Amino acid sequence: MPQVETLRGPIDTAQLGFTLMHEHVFVLSQGVPESFPSVWDEEAQIASAREKLRELADLGVQTFVDLTVLGLGRNIPRLQRALEGISLNVIIATGLYTYNELPQYFQNRDIDVMVDLFVRDITGGIQGTKVKAAILKCATDEPGVTPGVEKVLRAVARAHRRTGAPISTHTHSGTRRGLDQQKVFAEEGVDLGRVIIGHSGDTEDIGYLEEMLKRGSYLGMDRFGIDIYLPTEKRVAVIARLCELGYADRLVLSHDASCYIDWYPAELVRSTVPNWHFRHISEDALPALRKAGVNEEQIRQMTVESPRRIFEHSGPY
Ligand SMILES: [Zn+2]
């Protein structure tokens, strides 16, 4: 039986079940709560996260991929506390989240230093714990493939080839950044079928999406609820169209939501993106997809079969 590493150790991929492929528990401005602990109430937020995660498990979600890496405030011991006693598989990521510059540490060192650290997270354990990462994360936003971003993309590609862990990305779809990522990965010899181009659900540009699909990548239709980028009915229509075109086995779903994010005042999040929460896909998006003609088999592909295939398709090369 193929296995995948989770917060609680390895499990059979057959146990993954209904999987949200791009979420977060805590998203914190790197360094801010460490320097100024008064900016949040950590204990209260851990308690609140536990409630939200339990609610999610009660909805039938079995696995949650937490793509929180360096740059988003990854902290494994805190995550372990939030998940204590909750029956949810959590898959952990390594990598680096930046739209442009690198932390000085990486800026002034060879790329191999970064590659070795990512590999160590996957093969040894993270932050002194036995928890191993099972997926690699990187980002390319509007500024494009800047020198810092390029170093991360290449380091992620090399760590992927050394370990076989799949790659999941953040993109700015308005500037078609997914194609830029595919180009760098291809130069590094990456099998693009082992890459998920994230935030592809933010656009209605079917031509752009098909171009990436034709190169074999999975697309993350993974920001359900962020209506200010694209409202749910439009996200649903794009997925229904891609299913019609035969790509249901190349799409994965998620919200890119978090139990707690410190980037914006909580009030602002509640008022501008009220649907941005972990229940939105189960309660609203799946019924809307069915209404738009997406059948049960296609929904199963997006929520169960593809996530499983992504984590089974492993091994260095
Ligand atoms: Zn994210």
Side-chain angles (χ1 to χ4, degrees), residues 22-24 27 67-68 72 97 137 170 199 223 256-257:
H22 186 143
E23 305 290 349
H24 302 273
V27 176
L67 289 177
T68 310
L72 297 167
Y97 184 90
K137 166 89 175 283
H170 162 108
H199 307 341
R223 274 173 155 180
D256 196 13

Side-chain angles (χ1 to χ4, degrees), residues 240-314:
R241 179 69 189 132
L242 291 175
C243 286
E244 263 173 38
L245 292 170
Y247 294 116
D249 66 347
R250 281 292 172 280
L251 310 176
V252 292
L253 307 184
S254 222
H255 309 90
D256 196 13
S258 41
C259 296
Y260 177 78
I261 179 165
D262 76 359
W263 289 11
Y264 318 96
E267 277 314 307
L268 187 68
V269 176
R270 265 193 293 274
S271 60
T272 47
V273 280
N275 294 324
W276 197 29
H277 56 74
F278 299 136
R279 303 186 312 279
H280 186 53
I281 287 178
S282 303
E283 293 176 349
D284 309 310
L286 292 182
L289 283 166
R290 290 184 178 107
K291 234 171 132 185
V294 177
N295 66 38
E296 290 309 314
E297 177 49 33
Q298 291 166 326
I299 287 176
R300 196 177 155 76
Q301 279 291 339
M302 296 187 276
T303 57
V304 178
E305 300 300 336
S306 288
R308 178 178 171 171
R309 198 181 321 113
I310 287 164
F311 287 108
E312 277 180 356
H313 191 161
S314 59

Side-chain angles (χ1 to χ4, degrees), residues 1-314:
M1 270 292 195
Q3 296 211 313
V4 58
E5 291 290 339
T6 72
L7 191 67
R8 294 199 184 94
I11 62 166
D12 286 343
T13 51
Q15 285 174 259
L16 290 174
F18 189 109
T19 301
L20 294 175
M21 284 297 287
H22 186 143
E23 305 290 349
H24 302 273
V25 177
F26 301 109
V27 176
L28 301 169
S29 301
Q30 192 83 46
V32 174
E34 290 83 356
S35 296
F36 306 106
S38 67
V39 295
W40 76 318
D41 184 341
E42 181 172 4
E43 291 308 312
Q45 289 306 334
I46 288 174
S48 154
R50 294 175 60 75
E51 253 169 65
K52 290 171 185 163
L53 293 165
R54 184 163 289 130
E55 213 175 68
L56 181 68
D58 289 345
L59 271 176
V61 174
Q62 287 149 282
T63 303
F64 175 105
V65 180
D66 186 336
L67 289 177
T68 310
V69 294
L70 173 63
L72 297 167
R74 186 180 65 170
N75 182 311
I76 298 298
R78 182 186 295 134
L79 205 54
Q80 287 171 321
R81 288 189 57 205
L83 266 304
E84 232 165 71
I86 296 169
S87 60
L88 200 60
N89 307 311
V90 180
I91 292 176
I92 305 299
T94 186
L96 201 159
Y97 184 90
T98 180
Y99 294 173
N100 191 358
E101 286 184 7
L102 296 176
Q104 295 290 352
Y105 183 91
F106 293 110
Q107 205 164 305
N108 304 317
R109 284 175 173 81
D110 192 78
I111 187 169
D112 291 336
V113 172
M114 207 190 288
V115 179
D116 288 344
L117 286 168
F118 295 165
V119 169
R120 190 173 163 176
D121 273 0
I122 294 166
T123 58
I126 305 169
Q127 295 173 333
T129 70
K130 291 193 170 66
V131 176
K132 292 176 184 166
I135 191 162
L136 285 145
K137 166 89 175 283
C138 53
T140 314
D141 205 87
E142 224 171 340
V145 184
T146 66
V149 167
E150 182 174 354
K151 200 166 177 179
V152 178
L153 296 181
R154 293 191 188 279
V156 159
R158 291 173 199 185
H160 158 74
R161 292 197 56 186
R162 268 171 62 185
T163 61
I167 299 173
S168 185
T169 76
H170 162 108
T171 62
H172 181 263
S173 56
T175 46
R176 301 160 71 101
R177 291 293 177 230
L179 292 169
D180 301 336
Q181 292 180 334
Q182 284 184 322
K183 183 171 171 287
V184 176
F185 293 150
E187 284 169 11
E188 291 288 332
V190 169
D191 169 358
L192 296 179
R194 297 169 74 166
V195 175
I196 306 153
I197 303 293
H199 307 341
S200 298
D202 288 352
T203 180
E204 296 177 276
D205 183 350
I206 299 278
Y208 162 61
L209 299 177
E210 258 204 295
E211 213 174 319
M212 293 191 291
L213 286 163
K214 282 187 178 141
R215 295 181 188 175
S217 296
Y218 289 89
L219 300 187
M221 312 308 273
D222 54 14
R223 274 173 155 180
F224 267 105
I226 311 189
D227 294 344
I228 47 167
Y229 292 160
L230 199 67
T232 297
E233 59 269 26
K234 291 189 174 173
R235 291 178 188 270
V236 164
V238 170
I239 293 174
R241 179 69 189 132
L242 291 175
C243 286
E244 263 173 38
L245 292 170
Y247 294 116
D249 66 347
R250 281 292 172 280
L251 310 176
V252 292
L253 307 184
S254 222
H255 309 90
D256 196 13
S258 41
C259 296
Y260 177 78
I261 179 165
D262 76 359
W263 289 11
Y264 318 96
E267 277 314 307
L268 187 68
V269 176
R270 265 193 293 274
S271 60
T272 47
V273 280
N275 294 324
W276 197 29
H277 56 74
F278 299 136
R279 303 186 312 279
H280 186 53
I281 287 178
S282 303
E283 293 176 349
D284 309 310
L286 292 182
L289 283 166
R290 290 184 178 107
K291 234 171 132 185
V294 177
N295 66 38
E296 290 309 314
E297 177 49 33
Q298 291 166 326
I299 287 176
R300 196 177 155 76
Q301 279 291 339
M302 296 187 276
T303 57
V304 178
E305 300 300 336
S306 288
R308 178 178 171 171
R309 198 181 321 113
I310 287 164
F311 287 108
E312 277 180 356
H313 191 161
S314 59

